[in-house]
Amino acid sequence: MKLKSIFKLFLLALIIVACKDDAKPEVTEKTETEFSYNVEQFADIKILRYQIPGWENLSLKEQKLVYYLVEAGLAGRDIMWDQNYRHNLKIRRALESIYTNYEGDKNSADWKAFEVYLKRVWFSNGIHHHYSNDKLKPGFSKDYLNDLLLATNTKLDGEAFDVIFNDKDAKKVNQAKGVDNVALSAVNFYGPNVTNADVEKFYAAKTSPNPDRPLSFGINSQLVKEDGELKERVYKSGGLYGSAIDEVVKWLEKAQGVAENKAQGDAIGLLIQYYKTGDLQTWDDYNVAWTAATDGNVDYINSFIEVYNDPLGYTGSYETIVQINDFDMSKKMAVLSENAQWFEDNSPLMEEHKKDSVVGVTYKVVTVAGEAGDASPSTPIGVNLPNANWIRKEVGSKSVSLGNIINAYNNAGSSGRLKEFVHDDQELKLEEEYGQLADKLHTALHEVIGHASGQLNPGVGETKETLKNYASTLEEGRADLVGLYYLYDSKLQELGLVEDWKKVGMAAYDGYIRNGLMTQLIRLNLGDDVEEAHMRNRQWVSAWAYEKGMEDNVIEKVTRDGKTYYNINDYDKLHELFGQLLKETQRIKSEGDYEAVEALVEGYGVKVEQAIHAEVLERNKQFTSAPYSGFVNPVLVTEMNDAGEITAIKVTQPEGYSKQMLTYSKKYSHLPLVN
């Protein structure tokens, strides 16, 4: 087979996205397979399952390493629940007690509504929607819940009971302009009465030993007020979440004992030390060691990492992913990371914002063996870490694509939305022939090239300090723009990644504009603003390009038979516009220009045209496929000899979604209820 064809077939089995986000809800092609990827569907959620291909090729020692890392991740599962909201664990345990003990009528509409509510709570790791951040609304009454509590001798009262039904703590993360985002966010990173001003003042007073290598202040702590004084409660052994962290450490120590090589073992050792001490210098030392440890079949992500759930971007959510390297596919896609410097040198950025030397960028395709915390049940399908800008610049970063997760998505069935929202047959044909490849290349460029590109001006602080609550959406939009700019470039064909770069680029541009201006709106209730960082970035990129291209009719708004479509008339000029916006977003990041990012996001990324939104929701009613998907995890089952030693580890599938959630709660509830 020709090399180009090999690349193309490979890309059709792969997608990477920087974050937890199903970017295009409109279409997924299904491949025939005997394995059943679909588990169940409820509300706006579809539950899938995934396989672990290649498990049998690992040695027993490597399988033990995977097993111990998976157990370490699950041991800290309840941390994510408590981080999301202070009453989550109490509510979950009460709901699960009802679910397992109730012996009354389970055919009533009220009971069915209770089941759906519990399943949604499980999926979101709490009572707020995993994507919109809005509080979940129960389809049953207070009286019915009280009846269930009485019937099962379960206790849930006070604020934890009332909050299920009232308007308090309505949003997990509130990113609205002109409000106190910390005070109005229900997320449990900050104590009562802590404000935006408190957080900013507290961390502004912190100084790093080396200003060129700033520590990640706030990444592993809760900021509270005690007697009017701000104090950090650090996540560590003997500190906040200590009982669960001790369990995580126990399994990490087992993992270190079967590490594949010294570099991997040393990195795990630093992670253990970090969990025990909470020391931020150790956190940086660990990230440097982890980034450099690239040999071996097994890798992992574990700790308090992504800051999307913090309205000001300081504190990391607990997250773990355990992964097995796919060396063959990783080798085929190494061409992107190998050419990272070319992409940097030829970008439209201002010269002073380009890196002279792009170092240590590695990219691998991996097979997921287990996930927990913020990565489960709703999972990312690609990751680029670490997040510290100075480590990216001096040491490098790891980009991974979760290949078996993507395979599960691709085999789970088509939503059928594409034909409803494309402008014409040409757009449909381009999407059907090149759309998957375009999506996958776009997100590969986003991860491998986008997040690694550009640099801050000397003396400019970290983006969480300069761009504040807009930092996440600006970074995701910037990385998207890197991908968009290079998708319409002959370099991809030169590298053997595509056979017709123009058609791939056209399909990518069609899909991005269609999604950014229309189809992603199926995830919002009519009247809602856009608040999730990725949805915001897709809208502000698309809306900015639409407005700036109006004079030349680059993107045309078409109304036909009472339906709205967006048609790209000039792909070359749209490419130029994307380049201009990429240059500006990098300038904003490099200079820390808060006023400019606020104007960009608030002007183009937050408000939704209500007539368009209503139309999109009406047109979407014909489709039954849920807009969000997540996964149950395979179960690793150990076989032991008489001496208690593991002799084999088998991969099995869980009996069902509810069964796995209940099993997790029973086995991994390592945090006491404190309120």
Side-chain angles (χ1 to χ4, degrees), residues 235-250:
Y235 309 154
K236 65 175 183 176
S237 296
L240 187 58
Y241 303 138
S243 57
I245 288 172
D246 288 342
E247 288 293 318
V248 174
V249 167
K250 179 185 77 175

Side-chain angles (χ1 to χ4, degrees), residues 202-261:
F202 182 84
Y203 288 116
K206 299 279 187 181
T207 57
S208 299
N210 184 347
D212 294 330
R213 297 178 175 182
L215 298 175
S216 299
F217 292 118
I219 194 70
N220 65 335
S221 63
Q222 180 191 56
L223 189 61
V224 299
K225 274 185 180 177
E226 294 182 3
D227 300 323
E229 182 180 353
L230 289 167
K231 295 182 179 179
E232 283 185 298
R233 303 176 67 201
V234 178
Y235 309 154
K236 65 175 183 176
S237 296
L240 187 58
Y241 303 138
S243 57
I245 288 172
D246 288 342
E247 288 293 318
V248 174
V249 167
K250 179 185 77 175
W251 289 104
L252 287 176
E253 288 174 340
K254 291 178 180 289
Q256 186 182 24
V258 291
E260 298 174 273
N261 51 64

Side-chain angles (χ1 to χ4, degrees), residues 9 61 199 246 300 335 362 368 411 430 437 484 633 666:
L9 286 177
K61 182 181 178 183
V199 177
D246 288 342
Y300 62 94
V335 65
T362 64
V368 173
N411 282 283
L430 278 171
L437 178 59
L484 289 167
N633 288 305
K666 182 178 180 179

Side-chain angles (χ1 to χ4, degrees), residues 323-370:
Q323 58 212 35
I324 303 164
N325 192 20
D326 186 323
F327 284 95
D328 182 53
M329 290 190 177
S330 296
K331 184 177 180 180
K332 291 173 183 175
M333 279 300 288
V335 65
L336 278 180
S337 54
E338 290 168 357
N339 283 273
Q341 191 65 56
W342 183 94
F343 288 108
E344 184 78 352
D345 293 343
N346 289 275
S347 74
L349 308 185
M350 298 167 65
E351 287 303 316
E352 59 266 35
H353 297 156
K354 295 181 182 180
K355 289 179 179 174
D356 293 331
S357 178
V358 180
V359 300
V361 177
T362 64
Y363 169 53
K364 294 181 179 180
V365 183
V366 300
T367 296
V368 173

Side-chain angles (χ1 to χ4, degrees), residues 15-28 131 379-381 406 409 438-440 442-443 446 476 480 508 511-523 532 534-539 542 627-629:
I15 187 171
I16 326 164
V17 170
C19 331
K20 183 179 297 185
D21 181 49
D22 303 331
K24 286 171 65 176
E26 63 193 23
V27 59
T28 303
Y131 203 85
T379 172
I381 48 182
I406 302 312
Y409 276 125
D439 283 348
K440 294 157 190 176
H442 180 204
T443 48
H446 172 120
E476 295 308 322
D480 262 4
Y512 197 90
I513 295 299
R514 186 172 62 246
N515 190 31
L517 295 180
M518 293 196 72
T519 54
Q520 70 171 0
L521 297 178
I522 68 172
R523 294 174 167 180
E532 199 277 332
H534 306 88
M535 285 187 69
R536 278 188 170 186
N537 92 241
R538 287 192 293 269
Q539 179 166 298
S542 301
Y628 302 102
S629 297

